[in-house]
Every structure is written in structure tokens, then in C-alpha cells.
Amino acid sequence: MQNSQFVQFASLVMLAIVPYILASQGTMLAGQTGLFIVSQEGVMLVGASVGFLGAFLSGSLLIGLLLAALSGAIAGLALAYFTTTLKLDQFVIGLAIFFLGLGLSNLFFKLVVGVTLQPPIIPTLKAVPIPLLSQIPILGPILFRQNLMVYFSILLSLFLIYFLYYTSWGLSLRAVGENPKAADSVGVPVARSRYITAIVAGMLMALAGAYLPMVYTGSYTDGIVNGRGWLAIALTFLGGWSPHLIFVGSLFFAGVEILALRAQVLGVGLPYQFLRMIPYLATIFVMLLTYKRLRTPAFLGLNYDRESRTSI
Amino acid sequence: MKQVSPPLLQLQGISKSFGPLLALKDVNLTIQHREIHGLLGGNGAGKTTLMNVLFGLYKPNAGQVILRGQTIHIQSPRDAIHHGIGMVHQHFLQVPHFTVVQNIVLGSRLHNRPTLNLTRATERIQDLCQRFGLEADPNAHIIDLPMGVRQRVEILKALYRGVDVLILDEPTTNLTPQEVDSLFESLQRMVAEGMSVVFITHKLREVMQVCDTISVLRAGEHQLTLPRTQVSEELIVRTMVGSDIDLDESILFAATAPQESSSSRTGPPVLDVQGLTLTAESNTPQVDDVSLQVHAGEIVGIAGVAGNGQQELLEAVLGIRTADRGQIRFQNEELGHCSTRDRLRRGIAYVPEDRVQDGILPTATIAQNSILGVHDRPPYSQHGILKWPIITQHAQHLIAEYHIQTQGAGQQAGNLSGGNLQRLILARALAQPIQLLILHNPTSGLDIPTVEQIYRQIRQRRQEGLAVLLVSDDLDELMLLSDRIAVLYRGALVGHLQQKDFDKYEIGRMMSGVYNHV
């Protein structure tokens, strides 16, 4: 039946959307204050490893998620310290944190689990149907019979739209990424804004990673993040650094991911590698079409020094 | 008995040094209630430094600030605003992609933080606009606004925070004469409402036009404070420049109109630009069908509000940018796709607007900088090898002739002060046999004696038959030096005036695009 196939596909997309949303909205949020993060892949790996091990040792997925968020907060704090306080290059520090995360994620797992014949397993996130709403035909099963992290990412996106564009805090944050000197001159705390967004961004990225072992197989494997961190950067640019477009873009990226899996199972004749390539091709294609209209925060990737006399 | 209330604001014994440089020496200044106080001085006199101290941007080494008879401590701009002191900086601190109202409320205490309902703020801003005659659409984006409106936004920012003293740092720099008049009207309304205004400028005429009290600073020292009614222009000028220049010989403060050019303007022009058009990526022309001639022995001025295509026009003439359409002929030869280097070799010299970014190599020595552009030609090099003795000698010669203050040709050019840097750049341009000199804002930010010296050199070269294309944001400078002025508005030449027809209001109208025939 057509209908049920669509519902099944769409609800799988909703499952796959979570890491894209969390990682990209985090990237976007830090970008609004001028911090350009490139360590997504590494922070997500650490989040996956820490989250999995926390859940495995404690028996509670929630504790796993909390620990993962903590690890992400540390990564964000480190990034903010090196770039905002020490004014080191954001790109270089971001790459350094990526490589550190790449190594640490495996190290943690080896230290705790070691080499085993049977890989450790944790329970997966359960669907929590929302009363009444989940009874709506078609929409109900797609949107309201999901796990808590799916709800969280949707609510997060809505919250960020409201926060950034409809509150004075959002206005201040965006001013920091657009012209930190102007923000500073009217008393908006530039450094504090950057620290906060860096820490929140790190937490969201780590949660994005921790979600991966918890949603499908319940097991942790090397390279479980599989490039989603890099895709998050592309997605953020594609979404023009705005939370609503990033949400739409996440739907697209998750859709392609599920299609690729489907195509592999059904054997449509297209090589799997080709399908995996689609999100990247789509990014380049959309960028080509829209690069003149897409905007990034004016101070993205640049550190701010009050004493500096250069003006923009 | 008349009751004597303390003055609004007193600065007492303010001293401030930057490293070894003493920028302010024991300065006293008193601002009365309800006055426009002109703070006058050449560049480097310490005007901005003094006001930055008052606004909490700089910490003074000594001295105190007394507000209404009470000593206050200002540590940051936030404290200053809290005490009712606002400042409009020369470079606007605005977020281009925010609206006017967003820029104004940014960082202010909003009662409805979580909902950011800007209706009330917008109403208040509209009210301020009306009260003070500062026209601005609260919902327009800053990026779409002309400089004059952007400046009003900056003033509104201060007024919105409810200041009693408003400091304006060189507020007329980017304004047309009409905009200057309307700014002055607004300032007078502020004073009528009980505020005081401190007006920092180096332009004497503006001070005489609008200020109630005038103070003059020179070299970091307070010289005088007098009511306008008790001063003459001559007294002020003498106080501003001290004994540094001879006023009777001065070009800058000349009482009579400049002499006509000796150019007969016969024969073909040195530079002949026809229908030059340059289109930006966004398909709006940056230079729009510009035709222009410069003859030997004349100075042609280009007026216009900054950002109306001046930079693009010059870069097209120099071959830094490629024009989409049009012809550039230099001494009767089509330049076509000639490289920039070829153009310079044929006898064009360029003094760019941004001295440090585009004019020199900051970490190279003065000697190295003095031959930049001709460094691969004899006598400075042969077979690709630089001849240092000749280069050093050449540099020493320039240092002496142009009075560049430095310890020697081996010093880093980046350490020179603005005035000395500009002398070096001008010296380099004039040291070669050239037929056309292109100048872009040649005196911005320079002290009075240097300006005087640069004007003198330009004039002298014109007498000797050099063709000069002078692009400047400073209308007074253009009217002082040019034989003809063309006005650039949105990349197009919208007007053309001969020296006898110079009128700053007429030019101002053209600069704001009101006038529309060539």
C-alpha cells in the first residue's frame, strides 16, 4: 500500500534527521556570534563514544546522553578559550579539536571495553507516542510516534527561530557575529556571547554523535559518525546560517540518507557509493545556484580584538 | 543675587600618554549647559583622544571629570552613557544588515526582552526623529542608507539612550553641504531642548557657523576657550597652527580665491576617458558611462560622497580593474588591455586613498618603498640585480627634499606617521617623469603643515604642466585646488563645473543626485 510505505519512509527520515539538525543548528548558533566551528566530526565521535560508554556502564541512556553533552561542552569551552581569549585561528584550532576527538573516541572505547569477541550492546531509544496527536492519520505516526530526541530536535529548531529573531538576546547575539565592535560599543558582551554559543554548540554536536549508537543498532563501531559532521558544515552554509532553512536542509539530507539505504537493500542498480555522494553533490549544486543570495554572518571566522584599530 | 550653578561638565588636568607619546598634557575644558561647544584643532591635536577619555574608551593617566559639580569615574562607554554622555564616532558602529530600529535598541535595556516587541521603540524613535529633525525610516536596513542618514541613526542611538551631552567626532566628513546644514539645525534643536553638544572638527568655518563656544587644542595642549562672538577667524587659525606655517603664504587659509590655471587646454588631453562602464557582480554599474578629460597643467577634481564609484573609476583607469565598456586614452594612445605596470611606465602615478594598505610595504624599508614600481628598471637595478648604493642615495634625496622625518632610509616604512608616510608616497610618485598624477583623498587625516606642503607641491607641479586627477571626499579641498570639478553620483558623472562657477551647495545637490543633467 502506497500510503503505509510513505509513512514508513517519512518516519525513518524523521529518525535520521536528528544528528543533522543538532550538529548544524549548533554550528549555526556559534556562527551567529562569529565563531566558525570545523570540529563537528570529531566532537560527534567523542559524543558517540562517551554516550555509548556512559549508557553501557550505567545502564541508562539518559546518563549516556548527559555525559556526552558534558564532553561536548568541554570541547566547546576549549574552542572558545583558544579562539576568543587567546585569539588563535579558529580554523586551525577547530581542526586540532577534530583530530583530538578522532583519537579520543577510539581510545575511550578501547580503554573501557577492550577487545571482545562479542561487541557490547545498549538498548535503543524507544518511541514515545504522544497521546491523541499520534492518532492523527499519516502525520501522527510520522511526527508523534518518535523517540524523545526527535521531539527535542524539532523543538530546538523552533526555539532557535524564536530566540534568534524574536528576542533581544537573539538580536545581541547576531550583532556580535555581524559587527562585534558595534555590539561592544553598546555594551553587548562579545566574549561571553561567544563562550556561551561555543559551549551550547559543542553540547549539541556531542548529542548528535551520541544519538547514533542509540538509535539503530545499539552498538558502537569505529567511524560511526561517517562524515555527518562534515555534512553538517555544508548543511549550515546551504541553510544560509538560518535555523529554518537548516531544518529544511536536514530533512533533505536525511531523506537522501534513507533513500541511499533503501536503494542498497532493493538493489536499484546504482552503486551505493554514488548515492552516498548525493548530499555533497546537492550542496555544490545548490551553492552554485544561490551563492549570491546566501549570506553568512559578516564576522564569521574572525576573532575580535577591542584594541585593534582596523575597522570594517 | 544671581544663583551660580556649577557648569554641566568639567574636565580637569587630563593627561594621557600612549607609550612614549604624550597625547594630552594637562588639559582643562568646561562644557556649559545648553551650548554647542566646538573643539577645534588639526589632526593629532588630541581632540578625539580627549573625548575618548570622556567617553570611557581611554583611561587617562591623570585628571578628573566633574559632572554638575560632582566628580564621576568613567570606566567604559557604558558608564558614560549611564551618566548621560553619548558619542558619535567618526566611523559608524553599526550592523549593516540590521534595521535602523534594531541598531538603535541593540544593547539598550528593553522592558520586553523575551518578546522583542519593537513597536514602542519604533514609536519613540519616530518621536525623536520629529523632535530633532533627524529624518530616518526606522524599518530601513542600514546597508541601504546613504551616509548622511547613517549618521543620523548614530545620533539617534545616543538620543534614544537619553544623553545630556552629545559628542560628535568630525561629523561632517561624509556629508553634503545640505546635510551639514540640516545636521546643524538638529544640533540647535537639541540645545534648545536643554542638551549640550561637543562638536569636534578641524574645519574652522563649521565652527564659526554653529558653535556658541570655541576651544582650540594644539599638540595635546589646551590653547583657548572663548565665546564665538569674541573670536576672529584669524585668531583661531593662528592658535590652531601656532608658528608652524606662514599664514600669509598659506594655501589652506587663503583669503582670496585661488589663481586661474595657466593651462590653455589646447591640444589633446593627457587623459581621455570615453564611456567607461564597470559593472559589479550584482549587475548594478559601479562606474556608469563616465567620460572625462584631463589636460596638461590642470587639476580636475572629482567630487562625490564616498562609495559612489570613485575607487572603481580610478582602478579602471589604472588597469587594476577591467572595464566592461569604454575607452581610456593616455597621451593619445589607447590603453586597452595594457597592464597596470605598463600604464605606470607610460607616465601615470597613483597616490591611493589607503596609505598603509595600498600605498606601501609596511615592513620594507623606506629605501625599498621609495623605488617600488620602478625597482626593476635602471638606474635602480640592472639585469635583475638591485643597486643598493643608488637606491639608498635616491631615498636619502627624497627624505631631504620632502622633509620626511625619519632616522634614515633603512627604517621600516610602516613606522612612519601618517603625514610622513604620505610625503614618502607623494615623493615616490613625483620623483619619476610623469604626465598624470592621480590622487585619492591625499590629505585625509593629516596635520595642517603637511596638508599645506602637499597642496603646495600639487600646485607647483600643475604650474610645471602636470595633469592631475584629484578625487576627494573633502569638498573644501576640491574647491581650493581644482580647475574644474566633476561630480560622481552612483558611478555616473552628473555634473561638471568650471572654477568660476564653484558653489558648494550646487555641488552638494549633484552629490546627492538631485541634479541630473551633465
Side-chain angles (χ1 to χ4, degrees):
Chain A
M1 191 181 142
Q2 283 291 58
N3 230 352
S4 76
Q5 257 191 10
F6 170 74
V7 167
Q8 195 195 0
F9 172 74
S11 52
L12 280 175
V13 170
M14 291 313 289
L15 270 187
I17 202 176
V18 175
Y20 292 113
I21 289 191
L22 295 180
S24 316
Q25 300 289 30
T27 309
M28 181 277 300
L29 183 66
Q32 294 292 353
T33 63
L35 265 182
F36 182 34
I37 302 182
V38 292
S39 39
Q40 288 84 347
E41 187 83 4
V43 178
M44 283 173 77
L45 278 166
V46 169
S49 166
V50 169
F52 176 83
L53 294 172
F56 176 64
L57 295 177
S58 72
S60 152
L61 289 180
L62 180 67
I63 289 179
L65 287 170
L66 289 176
L67 284 174
L70 181 68
S71 70
I74 294 170
L77 182 68
L79 182 78
Y81 177 72
F82 283 113
T83 59
T84 301
T85 304
L86 298 186
K87 307 203 189 323
L88 299 174
D89 188 273
Q90 297 185 7
F91 192 71
V92 174
I93 297 299
L95 281 183
I97 292 178
F98 156 67
F99 280 111
L100 196 67
L102 193 65
L104 282 181
S105 58
N106 287 335
L107 180 70
F108 289 156
F109 190 77
K110 297 246 162 69
L111 281 178
V112 176
V113 178
V115 182
T116 53
L117 282 173
Q118 220 164 8
I121 295 284
I122 54 170
T124 52
L125 287 161
K126 278 191 218 40
V128 182
I130 295 176
L132 294 178
L133 289 177
S134 59
Q135 302 306 319
I136 304 170
I138 302 177
L139 273 184
I142 296 174
L143 285 179
F144 303 112
R145 218 170 284 167
Q146 299 285 7
N147 66 54
L148 288 174
M149 289 298 279
V150 175
Y151 302 143
F152 173 68
S153 7
I154 296 171
L155 290 176
L156 174 82
S157 299
L158 292 175
F159 170 75
L160 283 174
I161 294 170
Y162 170 75
F163 176 79
L164 285 172
Y165 297 101
Y166 297 96
T167 72
S168 78
W169 295 296
L171 188 71
S172 299
L173 276 193
R174 288 190 291 132
V176 172
E178 289 288 346
N179 187 348
K181 198 164 192 161
D184 194 17
S185 75
V186 290
V188 174
V190 174
R192 201 199 302 163
S193 305
R194 287 193 167 183
Y195 266 90
I196 291 171
T197 58
I199 291 170
V200 173
M203 290 167 77
L204 292 177
M205 287 167 193
L207 284 177
Y211 178 77
L212 292 168
M214 295 181 186
V215 65
Y216 297 122
T217 58
S219 63
Y220 176 88
T221 48
D222 278 2
I224 188 170
V225 178
N226 205 0
R228 286 182 184 86
W230 300 115
L231 273 179
I233 302 179
L235 177 51
T236 312
F237 272 101
L238 209 58
W241 299 83
S242 72
H244 16 315
L245 286 179
I246 284 176
F247 185 84
V248 177
S250 300
L251 278 173
F252 173 73
F253 276 41
V256 172
E257 184 185 314
I258 299 300
L259 270 183
L261 281 172
R262 280 260 157 140
Q264 199 183 5
V265 175
L266 297 174
V268 267
L270 282 171
Y272 168 69
Q273 288 81 354
F274 180 80
L275 289 165
R276 289 277 308 160
M277 210 164 70
I278 289 177
Y280 300 96
L281 284 178
T283 305
I284 295 175
F285 187 66
V286 177
M287 291 284 239
L288 275 176
L289 290 180
T290 59
Y291 75 99
K292 276 182 188 163
R293 257 162 290 151
L294 283 181
R295 244 189 66 72
T296 57
F299 237 73
L300 186 68
L302 300 173
N303 293 330
Y304 170 64
D305 184 357
R306 184 186 278 181
E307 316 275 312
S308 151
R309 298 174 75 103
T310 52
S311 54
I312 36 172
Chain B
M1 272 282 287
K2 205 173 127 193
Q3 197 191 346
V4 181
S5 66
L8 179 61
L9 194 63
Q10 285 169 286
L11 294 164
Q12 286 186 342
I14 306 279
S15 291
K16 171 71 186 168
S17 58
F18 297 100
L21 177 80
L22 197 53
L24 293 174
K25 294 168 211 161
D26 194 24
V27 174
N28 297 307
L29 192 74
T30 302
I31 313 288
Q32 301 292 348
H33 293 274
R34 291 172 170 255
E35 71 167 359
I36 300 180
H37 195 119
L39 190 53
L40 200 65
N43 277 287
K47 307 171 303 241
T48 303
T49 309
L50 182 65
M51 289 302 119
N52 279 343
V53 166
L54 178 57
F55 193 56
L57 284 169
Y58 294 157
K59 238 185 143 95
N61 302 88
Q64 54 180 345
V65 179
I66 299 164
L67 183 72
R68 294 191 180 88
Q70 285 185 322
T71 305
I72 56 169
H73 298 280
I74 299 172
Q75 309 285 345
S76 69
R78 219 174 195 178
D79 291 348
I81 290 166
H82 175 74
H83 285 295
I85 300 165
M87 184 161 176
V88 175
H89 298 267
Q90 204 174 349
H91 301 286
F92 305 149
L93 294 170
Q94 292 166 347
V95 182
H97 285 89
F98 281 9
T99 63
V100 168
V101 60
Q102 284 175 332
N103 265 286
I104 292 174
V105 301
L106 183 65
S108 69
R109 266 161 296 175
L110 288 169
H111 295 294
N112 44 359
R113 280 186 84 106
T115 55
L116 194 63
N117 186 343
L118 293 175
T119 323
R120 259 175 63 193
T122 309
E123 279 166 12
R124 235 187 97 195
I125 291 164
Q126 275 164 339
D127 176 53
L128 288 171
C129 290
Q130 272 197 342
R131 246 167 75 201
F132 297 106
L134 297 158
E135 211 176 297
D137 173 9
N139 294 314
H141 284 85
I142 294 288
I143 196 169
D144 301 325
L145 297 175
M147 290 311 260
V149 183
R150 290 187 63 170
Q151 181 177 56
R152 280 177 227 150
V153 173
E154 207 64 5
I155 296 173
L156 285 167
K157 237 162 96 177
L159 294 176
Y160 185 83
R161 286 162 172 78
V163 298
D164 307 317
V165 185
L166 182 65
I167 307 163
L168 297 156
D169 189 2
E170 300 278 2
T172 59
T173 309
N174 287 307
L175 304 187
T176 64
Q178 283 82 356
E179 286 171 325
V180 170
D181 282 354
S182 102
L183 170 70
F184 287 170
E185 228 169 87
S186 302
L187 298 187
Q188 268 147 358
R189 285 206 211 174
M190 288 174 207
V191 171
E193 295 225 355
M195 287 172 57
S196 292
V197 176
V198 180
F199 177 31
I200 305 178
T201 185
H202 65 279
K203 292 181 181 169
L204 176 65
R205 281 181 191 107
E206 295 179 346
V207 168
M208 296 304 278
Q209 190 184 338
V210 76
C211 293
D212 304 306
T213 312
I214 297 170
S215 292
V216 178
L217 290 185
R218 186 177 79 232
E221 284 182 270
H222 177 239
Q223 303 293 331
L224 64 77
T225 297
L226 282 172
R228 180 186 46 190
T229 47
Q230 290 176 26
V231 296
S232 66
E233 283 201 17
E234 200 191 330
L235 172 70
I236 300 275
V237 171
R238 289 209 183 276
T239 321
M240 266 171 83
V241 299
S243 53
D244 286 344
I245 58 174
D246 181 358
L247 276 187
D248 301 326
E249 294 281 302
S250 163
I251 296 173
L252 198 52
F253 300 109
T256 53
Q259 76 261 41
E260 270 298 334
S261 161
S262 58
S263 165
S264 51
R265 225 176 286 155
T266 49
V270 174
L271 177 72
D272 186 4
V273 176
Q274 291 294 340
L276 192 73
T277 300
L278 197 79
T279 306
E281 277 181 6
S282 52
N283 291 328
T284 50
Q286 290 177 308
V287 176
D288 190 3
D289 197 21
V290 166
S291 297
L292 178 80
Q293 287 83 37
V294 187
H295 292 79
E298 76 167 341
I299 301 175
V300 175
I302 304 270
V305 176
N308 271 286
Q310 291 94 329
Q311 185 79 21
E312 290 80 5
L313 172 64
L314 295 188
E315 290 186 349
V317 171
L318 287 157
I320 298 169
R321 288 172 191 246
T322 314
D324 299 317
R325 257 179 290 128
Q327 277 195 329
I328 302 167
R329 293 173 77 81
F330 178 66
Q331 295 188 304
N332 252 337
E333 280 177 59
E334 167 69 37
L335 287 179
H337 292 286
C338 237
S339 69
T340 302
R341 188 169 72 159
D342 273 350
R343 291 175 201 225
L344 297 180
R345 293 227 163 135
R346 286 169 190 230
I348 302 178
Y350 175 45
V351 176
E353 178 181 29
D354 191 332
R355 279 163 219 139
V356 181
Q357 285 292 320
D358 303 335
I360 55 152
L361 305 176
T363 54
T365 64
I366 292 175
Q368 289 165 341
N369 271 292
S370 74
I371 54 150
L372 219 56
V374 290
H375 53 278
D376 53 351
R377 273 193 293 178
Y380 310 110
S381 76
Q382 217 159 21
H383 313 301
I385 293 167
L386 291 166
K387 298 184 145 183
W388 285 115
I390 294 176
I391 294 168
T392 308
Q393 205 187 352
H394 171 70
Q396 278 160 352
H397 170 70
L398 293 184
I399 288 170
E401 193 186 332
Y402 289 85
H403 310 288
I404 300 168
Q405 282 147 29
T406 173
Q407 285 162 322
Q411 296 289 308
Q412 275 197 6
N415 293 340
L416 291 173
S417 71
N420 285 310
L421 203 56
Q422 191 71 338
R423 287 192 187 110
L424 172 64
I425 294 169
L426 197 65
R428 179 177 69 202
L430 296 177
Q432 303 307 321
I434 54 168
Q435 278 76 46
L436 174 66
L437 175 64
I438 298 178
L439 302 160
H440 194 182
N441 283 337
T443 60
S444 71
L446 301 185
D447 57 281
I448 295 167
T450 309
V451 173
E452 196 66 48
Q453 192 195 351
I454 288 173
Y455 285 178
R456 205 168 292 279
Q457 249 137 14
I458 296 171
R459 280 255 179 103
Q460 191 195 333
R461 288 303 176 117
R462 180 193 64 180
Q463 290 319 97
E464 292 167 17
L466 185 66
V468 180
L469 182 61
L470 168 68
V471 176
S472 178
D473 302 337
D474 185 348
L475 208 45
D476 296 331
E477 172 169 287
L478 285 169
M479 292 173 56
L480 206 56
L481 294 178
S482 310
D483 298 303
R484 295 186 284 134
I485 292 180
V487 184
L488 206 52
Y489 173 70
R490 293 203 178 152
L493 286 185
V494 297
H496 209 138
L497 291 172
Q498 300 297 327
Q499 194 177 48
K500 60 179 174 10
D501 305 322
F502 283 178
D503 172 61
K504 71 173 183 175
Y505 288 97
E506 180 82 2
I507 297 174
R509 269 195 293 283
M510 292 173 178
M511 280 164 74
S512 44
V514 177
Y515 209 90
N516 237 327
H517 63 84
V518 179

